[in-house]
Amino acid sequence: MTDRPLFTIRMLKYVVCWLMLWQDGTVGGSIFQFGTFIKIPPNVKWDEVLAVLLLVLVLIERSVTYDFTLRRSSYSGPFLLMSSFLFVGWLRGCIIHEHVGIVMEAHDLLAWPVCFFIVSNAFSDPEEGPLLFKIILLAMLPKCADGLWIWFFSSDPTKHWGVIQMWRDGYLVSISIIGSLLFIYYQGTELKKLKWTMLISFPIIVVILIISYRRTATLATIVSAFA
């Protein structure tokens, strides 16, 4: 009797996670963004709203399966190391300027561990791992549409600093380009549709990287491609 509710909850979970990965941005005017039509408090972001909704769906799913175990991830160590680099950079800036300030990225730095914990436990079933991989890659398609619409139709002057500017967006572009390059060597049949979707979208993704002007994402993409 619980199979159908569980199936529905998981489908909603996948859709919300996919939306969370590409909704919201720092450049306005896109018809693909909820924020263009639905206003929320200025200090709240749409990806954060979707992250909370994802957490609620995970809690409902766990109440149905009676599985309340918390997943330990092998990425916790690298994640902590990356966070320590950001902290050291902030501390060095405070020492140089002899002033303790709150940088813009502090909000994202605090949000990362929370979102990481939610997603890690939302896909705790080993069978869901490959599905999360697909969701991450396919999140780039609406983000490309988002960037193209902003470039051609948005009147927001900040677009001249890049059509997509969030750290998350730069990651999506980079991982999609590297994923497309890896798919060139893929000869299997299970991911055949995903392979051709990414290869056909590859030129558009590269264009979005160019007009996003994200130097870190560009450098990361080049280094990862050679690696």
Side-chain angles (χ1 to χ4, degrees), residues 30 32 142-152 163-164 208 211:
S30 172
F32 300 100
K143 180 52 68 174
C144 282
D146 194 30
L148 290 175
W149 183 275
I150 288 172
W151 179 258
F152 287 108
V163 294
I164 55 175
I208 292 299
I211 62 178

Side-chain angles (χ1 to χ4, degrees), residues 21-22 24-25 143 164-173:
L21 288 172
W22 65 272
D24 207 4
K143 180 52 68 174
I164 55 175
Q165 301 178 11
M166 295 175 64
W167 289 3
R168 175 208 62 188
D169 298 339
Y171 170 81
L172 283 177
V173 174

